[in-house]
Structures are given as structure tokens and as C-alpha cells.
Amino acid sequence: MKLNQVIRFIVIIMLIFFVACGRDQKQKVVKKYGNYQTGKENREVLLTLSSFKQYEMLLNRIDNLTYSDSIPQISIKKENIQKVINLHNSSPESLERILHKQKNIIKIHNDSVYKFSVPYTLDSLKNIMQRNYLNKGKLDRYCSNPEKLLIQISYNDTFDNLEEVLHLVTESYDSIQPKVSLKICLIHYINLKLLFPTESE
């Protein structure tokens, strides 16, 4: 093989490599969820889920950040899509958390979805989110306003499927396209039936 042919071959290989890399870069997408306010990016603190062995440790870190007026966020990846989620957490004592109406909340605990204490499987989540986002106050058992809908996620201790749940929530949100911010918070699990045995949620 002559020198010119070798050089031509190397150039072709390099062009193929750069084109392939360019395509790979184009396919990488970053999606952001939650409240993103211009000028407050320096308050965002990215949490790496693998750094926390127990759910309680993760919640303590989130609570500390909210107390210091920071915004906890979680990044998850699936194929070439990176999803960055700003958590809608408030301090445990805040009125927002205490007074949030139950009809405006969808709860996910471990591997089940709850609406007014009624359990559903995770594959029902999209349907439940759609009913609540599109209800707009029509039916009393569903969300009164799509802007008020809050997704509360909790675990007893092990939170191995949290990434899977977050992917499911964000994919459902993307398919519904409600044109409001996605509000997700991670909380301590509270069994309201034990606290108020004579009252429903």
C-alpha cells in the first residue's frame, strides 16, 4: 500500500470516528424537571443517590439543604437521556407541607401508588397522574388545580427502586405534558390511619 493510500485511509477512519462522536453528542439530551429559577442556580445542590446507604440518610441531607435555603436536586440517567430533578421539598415544620390538601397529592410508597389510602400498582401511575393533572377541580377526589399537584415519594428504609420510580414519574409527566412544573418531594413515611384512625385522608 502506497503512502498516499495509507494517509487517505487514516483520514477516512478519522472522519468516520468524528462523525460517530458527533452523532453520539447530539443524541445526549438533558431534561430538567421542577422549579428552575434564573439566578438561583447557585442554590442547587446535586445529590448522588449511590452516596446514601439508607433512606433516612438521604432525607436528613435533603432536610439540611432545605433548612439552609438550598434546592436539593437528583440526577438520573437512562440511555442517552440525563434527567435533573429539582425536589420540591420544604422543611418538615413548614405550613406548606402540613396544610397541603390530600386531594392534591399522589403518594408513592415503596412500590405502590396511593390516592386517598387506596393502593395501586406502579404501572397505574400514568393514569392516576393524568386524571389529577387534567381534573381542574371537576371531581372532588382529584387535584383541584394542576399547579398544586404534588408527588410525594417515601420508603420504609430500602430505596433501591427510587431511580426507576423517578423515571416512571418523569416519563408519565412528559407524556401528559400538563404545562406546569413537576413537583416531586421525598418525605418520611407517615401512616395517617395510625395517627387519625377515625378520619380518612
Side-chain angles (χ1 to χ4, degrees):
M1 189 179 287
K2 294 181 180 179
L3 182 60
N4 287 343
Q5 291 176 322
V6 171
I7 293 173
R8 190 177 301 163
F9 178 76
I10 292 172
V11 170
I12 291 171
I13 294 297
M14 289 178 67
L15 284 172
I16 292 172
F17 174 77
F18 285 122
V19 168
C21 287
R23 285 181 181 169
D24 187 52
Q25 290 295 325
K26 288 179 183 178
Q27 289 175 354
K28 288 183 180 178
V29 177
V30 176
K31 290 186 174 183
K32 294 185 176 183
Y33 300 88
N35 259 334
Y36 280 83
Q37 300 177 24
T38 305
K40 296 189 177 181
E41 295 85 354
N42 61 329
R43 291 172 47 198
E44 297 167 356
V45 179
L46 184 63
L47 301 175
T48 305
L49 293 181
S50 59
S51 301
F52 301 93
K53 295 181 180 179
Q54 296 177 332
Y55 184 61
E56 192 71 22
M57 294 171 62
L58 175 60
L59 289 184
N60 288 340
R61 178 63 176 141
I62 291 171
D63 285 345
N64 288 336
L65 289 172
T66 54
Y67 273 125
S68 64
D69 203 29
S70 297
I71 302 169
Q73 60 180 202
I74 294 174
S75 176
I76 56 176
K77 293 181 180 178
K78 191 171 185 180
E79 297 173 353
N80 285 334
I81 299 176
Q82 180 183 6
K83 300 176 181 180
V84 181
I85 303 164
N86 270 6
L87 296 178
H88 190 77
N89 273 66
S90 53
S91 63
E93 294 84 6
S94 75
L95 288 175
E96 181 183 9
R97 183 179 288 193
I98 296 169
L99 299 179
H100 209 92
K101 291 183 178 180
Q102 295 302 307
K103 69 179 180 179
N104 296 328
I105 296 174
I106 296 173
K107 298 181 181 182
I108 302 174
H109 180 62
N110 292 336
D111 57 358
S112 298
V113 182
Y114 292 85
K115 188 69 182 174
F116 284 101
S117 296
V118 179
Y120 301 90
T121 58
L122 279 174
D123 57 10
S124 305
L125 179 61
K126 179 183 174 182
N127 186 39
I128 293 170
M129 286 177 64
Q130 187 167 14
R131 286 184 181 182
N132 282 272
Y133 273 124
L134 303 181
N135 183 53
K136 298 180 181 178
K138 296 173 187 174
L139 299 176
D140 193 51
R141 287 185 62 82
Y142 296 107
C143 188
S144 59
N145 184 325
E147 292 185 0
K148 295 181 179 179
L149 186 62
L150 179 64
I151 312 293
Q152 288 184 344
I153 301 175
S154 64
Y155 291 89
N156 289 334
D157 188 26
T158 305
F159 60 109
D160 294 340
N161 74 331
L162 178 55
E163 278 202 33
E164 176 192 341
V165 167
L166 290 174
H167 278 301
L168 188 58
V169 171
T170 52
E171 285 169 4
S172 300
Y173 173 85
D174 286 339
S175 66
I176 299 167
Q177 297 182 333
K179 296 182 181 179
V180 295
S181 294
L182 175 60
K183 296 179 181 178
I184 300 175
C185 69
L186 304 185
I187 64 165
H188 298 269
Y189 173 62
I190 300 174
N191 190 334
L192 293 180
K193 284 186 174 180
L194 294 179
L195 290 177
F196 310 105
T198 60
E199 297 181 16
S200 65
E201 291 185 84

